[in-house]
Amino acid sequence: MDIPEPTAGATGQQIKDDLAEKCQKLFQDFLEEFQNSDGDVKYLREAEELIRPERNTLLVSFADLEQFNQELATTIQEEYYRVYPFLCRAVRSFARDHGNMIPANKEFYLAIQDLPSRHKIRELTTARVGALVRISGQVVRTHPVHPELVSGTFLCLDCQTVVKDVEQQFKYTQPNICRNPVCSNRRRFMLDTNKSRFVDFQKVRIQETQAELPRGSIPRSLEVILRAEAVETAQAGDKCDFTGTLIVVPDVSQLSSPGSRSETSSRVAGSEGYENEGVRGLRALGVRDLSYKLAFLACYVAPTNPRFGGKELRDEEQTAESIKNQMSVKEWEKVFEMSQDKNLYHNLCTSLFPTIHGNDEVKRGILLMLFGGVPKTTMEKTSLRGDINVCIVGDPSTAKSQFLKHVEEFSPRAVYTSGKASSAAGLTAAVVRDEESHEFVIEAGALMLADNGVCCIDEFDKMDLKDQVAIHEAMEQQTISITKAGVKATLNARTSILAAANPVGGRYDRSKSLKQNVNLSAPIMSRFDLFFILVDDCNEVTDYAIARRIVDLHSRIEESVKRLYTLDEIRRYLLFARQFKPKISKESEDFIVEQYKRLRQRDGSGVTKSAWRITVRQLESMIRLSESMARMHCCDEVQPKHVKEAFRLLNKSIIRVETPDVNLDHEEVEPEEEEAAAVQHGVNGTDGDVPNGVGGEAHGINGHAENGVSGSAAQPSLRLSFTEYRRISNLVVLHLRQAEEEEDESTLKKSGLINWYLKEIESEIDSEEELVNKKKIIEKVIHRLVHYDHILIELTQSGLKGSTEAAEAETGEDPFLVVNPNYTLED
């Protein structure tokens, strides 16, 4: 406002601003007269609300202003900063007229919404200073709420005169001179806090969102000042629209930098000099810096997309009914139609990831993660998490990062970060010192920004160990605790984590377990509900299909994507379905317990090499996945069919990539026989052959073992599943070690060992043919253990056995077998 301040001589004389007063009158007419479609005065009800002590801001729609008086709307838009105090006066008189019992000294403020155009942070130049604009950005840091002095009442310390209503503009302003004509005090004033007016004041820092960034640019940030009812409306991580004006304020942090401080203060006395004014430098040399900066004074804050996915996700008070009321009839019909879809599970998967071929299990897992389980709080106020964490491990070029990018674009609160480039503080929260007030404030990290959303972490295995530890607490307790620099805080991080990792050495080694393939610690692995392993196998059919899909996508981008539901429809459905809180039925309870028992027994038996130990966390995972399935179908009760699907997914991720079978004959096996032996075991659209062990266990989808010899008589080719081979070798090694300790020479001989083994498994042998078969297997296994794996060593009377030719020459002898002293048994 370019209004010259009154000089000391003309005490108390104010200069009239005719334009602003005209605006005030017109605006008051607008409030009194503007009617909505029903013929009622639209803002009367809101004005009556302002009687309540906690309310002081009237929300006015800019569209209504334009409809009422175009000229008034244009003036407010162009000269907003100049006319704002007058508009607030109009609100005050309107509220006084229509509300009784309003305290005399209560201040009122105006907030304007529905501004037609939205600007980016980069477009804010000095041309827009003082005009009404709307900007959008993501909140990255919030400061605590402080009281700000609006108008001060001062006491002259020389003559005790009270100087009232001294306007304060972003800095502490004392009166120019005492009002008493006799007294000429210009400096010694004391603020009377009881008679001064304060308003809530909060600073927020916003940053450009990734979508708005021009190429090769670093995101710009801007300080936003919120006052009155707008404080605490924006939290770190929210994407918001701010309506207000751009202002210029002295840059205090520049002024208080040590070098310049001493320079100015030595030559110019502080209060009379230029320190307060934002002008500094050596006056004698004519060197002056203007240290001003732009800030944004906001009167109204709104989430960027309020109806779906913006603020509403965080409001715990939301119900299915209130969401239904927010939708139009057409939208609601679509949601209802989707909930009735018999093939919803499959259709949602294909609509969410139309560009990724195959990998159906991963799509299902990610879909269930988006729906999420039901978070619960126990009687002791301990919270049990409802979010599902998913980890994808796989070879290069198996679309891992594609999944992460898809989820980040689709989910309203999703943060994408890469493991190698993230530190522990960047993931959780950092304590930083504010430049102006020099107090410590908390700056939100990726997990806090993704609160109630999804945090996608790529290259998870490349993270430093100390940074991985920072995620432990966030993944299970869903909080982040900080005790640094005098700030002690526990912050919420109710987020699902979707991580992608590469196996050790680049490719997945099928002969090792998951634990040996991934560079992750056991505590982190147990915190993931689902592990998906993507193996890049050569398979003519899948390779053809993938190649067709990719070429199709490159040549006809639009037509090749077939979506049954649009992303907006899925978002709406997701928001609606997440309001359901399914309970577990009695039938499902028993089923879950039964399945968990089976998983534990199988894990304990050590027959199958499980990917990781089954703990109680896997039981909780099963419950969460079942609830998520029920939510997806909009059910209030978890039914056994939901548990069955959850168990299947969990099971898929527990025993996943099986080791290839061991061929004991080392001859070419005819393909028909191979197929007869193999059980097709589909892994994410790639068919890995897991052959049926001779005398071994058949790993079906449920992966439990059936005792007995499946098809051994009809199958002369000696092939053994890896688990069965490992089981026999462990038995032999244990027995030999025991015999060595007891110095029992008879069982150390090869023939003695074979006889002992056949005796051990005699309960499984039904016919003579089987006996011959079993004997053949154990001989071959021992042969392989000696000559290929070098786990056993053959000893004869003349010392160590030589080459294989010597072994064949002395077939008549019965050698001693001992275990290689360097061999350690794997668990």
Side-chain angles (χ1 to χ4, degrees):
M1 298 200 301
D2 303 328
I3 302 170
E5 288 191 13
T7 51
T11 46
Q13 180 188 332
Q14 287 289 328
I15 284 165
K16 283 182 71 174
D17 187 348
D18 294 332
L19 173 83
E21 286 180 358
K22 191 178 170 197
C23 273
Q24 178 181 342
K25 186 175 176 303
L26 280 169
F27 187 69
Q28 195 162 346
D29 292 347
F30 159 75
L31 291 176
E32 302 275 3
E33 294 168 20
F34 187 78
Q35 297 177 340
N36 56 14
S37 51
D38 303 339
D40 305 330
V41 176
K42 184 172 180 180
Y43 293 104
L44 190 60
R45 186 113 166 258
E46 280 90 334
E48 286 165 358
E49 281 278 299
L50 296 177
I51 301 172
R52 288 163 45 190
E54 73 274 8
R55 292 294 309 275
N56 58 11
T57 305
L58 180 71
L59 188 60
V60 172
S61 167
F62 192 75
D64 294 346
L65 272 171
E66 282 186 319
Q67 198 179 328
F68 180 75
N69 183 336
Q70 182 64 51
E71 203 181 325
L72 172 68
T74 313
T75 311
I76 288 178
Q77 192 165 1
E78 288 170 2
E79 301 277 350
Y80 171 76
Y81 191 56
R82 178 178 169 187
V83 301
Y84 185 68
F86 293 88
L87 299 180
C88 291
R89 280 181 213 162
V91 173
R92 185 167 66 189
S93 52
F94 180 60
R96 289 264 163 79
D97 295 348
H98 295 283
N100 42 7
M101 312 264 294
I102 288 182
N105 59 354
K106 184 170 177 180
E107 279 290 307
F108 289 100
Y109 301 93
L110 170 72
I112 297 176
Q113 63 175 356
D114 300 335
L115 207 63
S117 59
R118 181 194 294 172
H119 295 281
K120 298 176 183 166
I121 295 178
R122 265 168 206 276
E123 295 169 356
L124 296 181
T125 52
T126 45
R128 302 200 193 284
V129 172
L132 184 65
V133 283
R134 179 166 73 135
I135 58 169
S136 61
Q138 186 173 27
V139 181
V140 284
R141 186 196 290 184
T142 56
H143 291 246
V145 178
H146 291 300
E148 186 196 17
L149 188 63
V150 183
S151 71
T153 300
F154 291 88
L155 188 66
C156 170
L157 293 176
D158 288 4
C159 65
Q160 308 299 314
T161 309
V162 174
V163 184
K164 284 187 176 169
D165 294 341
V166 179
E167 287 283 324
Q168 308 285 319
Q169 272 306 5
F170 302 107
K171 60 178 191 294
Y172 179 62
T173 314
Q174 287 193 348
N176 289 335
I177 189 165
C178 177
R179 295 258 174 99
N180 188 346
V182 187
C183 173
S184 60
N185 172 28
R186 283 172 181 269
R187 277 201 205 159
R188 293 177 297 284
F189 291 100
M190 189 180 77
L191 179 70
D192 185 351
T193 48
N194 294 330
K195 292 178 184 161
S196 301
R197 287 207 313 271
F198 292 91
V199 65
D200 288 334
F201 167 88
Q202 185 187 25
K203 265 196 320 188
V204 169
R205 168 153 312 163
I206 63 168
Q207 195 176 9
E208 279 180 302
T209 51
Q210 189 197 352
E212 293 174 351
L213 272 186
R215 60 166 178 256
S217 303
I218 295 167
R220 296 263 173 95
S221 57
L222 181 70
E223 296 256 305
V224 174
I225 295 166
L226 303 175
R227 285 175 170 174
E229 274 184 33
V231 298
E232 294 294 354
T233 46
Q235 301 301 329
D238 293 342
K239 290 189 179 75
C240 293
D241 279 5
F242 297 87
T243 308
T245 182
L246 202 59
I247 53 170
V248 179
V249 289
D251 191 350
V252 183
S253 60
Q254 288 281 326
L255 286 173
S256 59
S257 55
S260 59
R261 192 74 175 273
S262 54
E263 247 174 27
T264 46
S265 57
S266 62
R267 286 173 170 73
V268 187
S271 57
E272 290 175 2
Y274 301 98
E275 246 179 25
N276 301 342
E277 299 303 318
V279 184
R280 65 181 172 83
L282 305 181
R283 189 166 54 163
L285 300 178
V287 181
R288 287 194 192 167
D289 297 340
L290 273 175
S291 45
Y292 280 102
K293 64 174 181 183
L294 290 175
F296 192 82
L297 181 63
C299 66
Y300 179 65
V301 182
T304 302
N305 182 5
R307 277 179 49 198
F308 302 106
K311 252 323 158 26
E312 302 331 13
L313 264 180
R314 200 176 60 230
D315 287 350
E316 279 80 18
E317 303 84 53
Q318 281 286 74
T319 58
E321 196 59 43
S322 66
I323 287 178
K324 178 183 171 182
N325 296 338
Q326 287 175 6
M327 295 186 203
S328 66
V329 180
K330 202 170 180 186
E331 290 167 349
W332 169 247
E333 277 171 2
K334 186 70 189 174
V335 168
F336 183 73
E337 182 195 321
M338 285 168 80
S339 67
Q340 300 302 313
D341 185 357
K342 287 277 181 288
N343 208 0
L344 179 71
Y345 195 24
H346 178 71
N347 290 343
L348 282 178
C349 286
T350 47
S351 303
L352 255 186
F353 309 105
T355 55
I356 300 173
H357 175 268
N359 294 347
D360 293 332
E361 300 302 329
V362 186
K363 290 179 184 173
R364 286 174 191 154
I366 291 176
L367 186 66
L368 291 187
M369 180 192 77
L370 289 171
F371 280 98
V374 183
K376 305 175 188 70
T377 312
T378 59
M379 312 275 276
E380 294 82 33
K381 295 284 177 281
T382 313
S383 60
L384 304 172
R385 73 178 165 107
D387 295 302
I388 294 166
N389 299 324
V390 179
C391 184
I392 306 172
V393 180
D395 294 348
S397 83
T398 45
K400 297 189 300 295
S401 300
Q402 280 295 318
F403 277 118
L404 269 65
K405 278 290 181 198
H406 267 288
V407 171
E408 187 218 2
E409 282 158 22
F410 167 76
S411 184
R413 279 190 78 123
V415 175
Y416 179 89
T417 167
S418 175
K420 192 66 188 157
S422 311
S423 64
L427 279 170
T428 51
V431 175
V432 285
R433 191 189 279 274
D434 180 34
E435 306 96 26
E436 290 180 17
S437 57
H438 299 296
E439 57 189 33
F440 287 105
V441 288
I442 293 174
E443 195 159 74
L447 290 172
M448 261 181 78
L449 294 180
D451 190 19
N452 269 32
V454 183
C455 183
C456 306
I457 306 177
D458 209 348
E459 312 291 353
F460 194 63
D461 54 320
K462 315 250 181 348
M463 282 172 70
D464 293 339
L465 207 60
K466 62 177 189 299
D467 297 338
Q468 268 186 18
V469 173
I471 308 183
H472 279 209
E473 183 191 3
M475 282 179 77
E476 196 57 52
Q477 276 73 40
Q478 303 230 297
T479 54
I480 295 167
S481 303
I482 283 190
T483 318
K484 287 179 195 167
V487 175
K488 185 179 183 313
T490 303
L491 315 160
N492 280 328
R494 295 158 299 197
T495 165
S496 304
I497 289 180
L498 175 62
N502 283 95
V504 179
R507 299 303 289 253
Y508 196 94
D509 184 355
R510 284 168 170 257
S511 60
K512 292 179 182 165
S513 68
L514 175 65
K515 202 177 286 167
Q516 292 158 312
N517 263 305
V518 186
N519 187 18
L520 294 178
S521 60
I524 282 243
M525 283 179 73
S526 73
R527 281 172 163 81
F528 280 109
D529 299 273
L530 290 174
F531 259 95
F532 291 110
I533 295 161
L534 306 180
V535 181
D536 189 11
D537 265 343
C538 297
N539 180 319
E540 199 179 332
V541 181
T542 15
D543 291 349
Y544 176 77
I546 290 172
R548 286 274 356 177
R549 186 83 199 85
I550 290 173
V551 173
D552 205 27
L553 198 63
H554 279 265
S555 54
R556 311 175 299 137
I557 290 181
E558 296 302 320
E559 301 94 77
S560 68
V561 175
K562 293 188 182 66
R563 275 204 171 106
L564 201 64
Y565 303 125
T566 65
L567 288 182
D568 279 341
E569 285 166 359
I570 302 177
R571 275 192 201 105
R572 262 180 235 125
Y573 184 74
L574 201 71
L575 193 64
F576 178 70
R578 280 182 70 125
Q579 303 310 318
F580 284 87
K581 307 271 185 288
K583 298 270 187 294
I584 300 174
S585 63
K586 185 79 191 80
E587 208 176 333
S588 306
E589 271 179 44
D590 302 339
F591 192 57
I592 291 175
V593 174
E594 195 54 47
Q595 299 291 14
Y596 175 65
K597 252 169 49 189
R598 261 172 62 185
L599 280 176
R600 280 291 283 191
Q601 279 164 354
R602 194 179 69 202
D603 190 40
S605 65
V607 170
T608 44
K609 209 47 178 129
S610 169
W612 74 88
R613 290 305 304 254
I614 305 294
T615 59
V616 182
R617 283 195 175 135
Q618 271 62 53
L619 173 65
E620 288 186 340
S621 301
M622 207 178 345
I623 294 169
R624 277 192 287 273
L625 289 166
S626 315
E627 288 170 345
S628 178
M629 274 300 290
R631 259 185 176 178
M632 191 178 71
H633 293 297
C634 293
C635 298
D636 285 322
E637 195 175 48
V638 177
Q639 287 153 3
K641 65 176 180 190
H642 300 144
V643 182
K644 210 169 261 173
E645 172 59 25
F647 176 70
R648 192 187 68 74
L649 266 177
L650 195 66
N651 202 51
K652 261 285 186 351
S653 64
I654 287 173
I655 297 182
R656 201 29 171 309
V657 177
E658 292 286 357
T659 344
D661 49 321
V662 179
N663 186 357
L664 296 175
D665 277 354
H666 292 283
E667 284 131 20
E668 272 304 312
V669 182
E670 289 157 34
E672 294 85 28
E673 293 173 337
E674 201 174 325
E675 277 166 28
V679 175
Q680 289 296 326
H681 184 65
V683 175
N684 274 345
T686 61
D687 294 321
D689 295 345
V690 180
N692 210 350
V694 180
E697 281 73 23
H699 296 295
I701 260 184
N702 291 341
H704 60 288
E706 281 121 33
N707 283 339
V709 196
S710 25
S712 60
Q715 178 55 35
S717 151
L718 283 185
R719 291 171 75 88
L720 216 55
S721 74
F722 184 79
T723 45
E724 178 62 9
Y725 173 68
R726 173 59 57 81
R727 189 179 72 94
I728 296 177
S729 67
N730 284 354
L731 265 175
V732 168
V733 168
L734 283 170
H735 173 68
L736 284 175
R737 283 203 170 147
Q738 203 175 347
E740 278 174 43
E741 282 166 20
E742 295 168 4
E743 294 179 355
D744 180 5
E745 286 197 4
S746 61
T747 47
L748 278 173
K749 286 199 168 180
K750 190 174 177 180
S751 56
L753 184 65
I754 292 171
N755 289 337
W756 168 83
Y757 175 74
L758 291 173
K759 203 171 214 157
E760 283 288 308
I761 59 161
E762 66 184 346
S763 58
E764 295 175 20
I765 300 171
D766 298 332
S767 64
E768 196 178 325
E769 198 177 340
E770 269 184 49
L771 181 69
V772 175
N773 221 334
K774 291 282 185 194
K775 188 170 182 217
K776 208 188 223 170
I777 288 171
I778 186 67
E779 282 170 353
K780 296 269 186 190
V781 167
I782 291 172
H783 181 79
R784 191 184 167 92
L785 286 173
V786 173
H787 296 290
Y788 291 94
D789 295 350
H790 304 295
I791 291 172
L792 300 184
I793 300 170
E794 283 189 351
L795 298 172
T796 58
Q797 300 301 327
S798 56
L800 277 168
K801 260 287 179 75
S803 60
T804 41
E805 289 87 21
E808 280 157 18
E810 299 174 9
T811 41
E813 282 187 34
D814 190 6
F816 284 99
L817 292 173
V818 288
V819 182
N820 188 331
N822 295 331
Y823 176 68
T824 51
L825 265 174
E826 286 185 21
D827 57 332

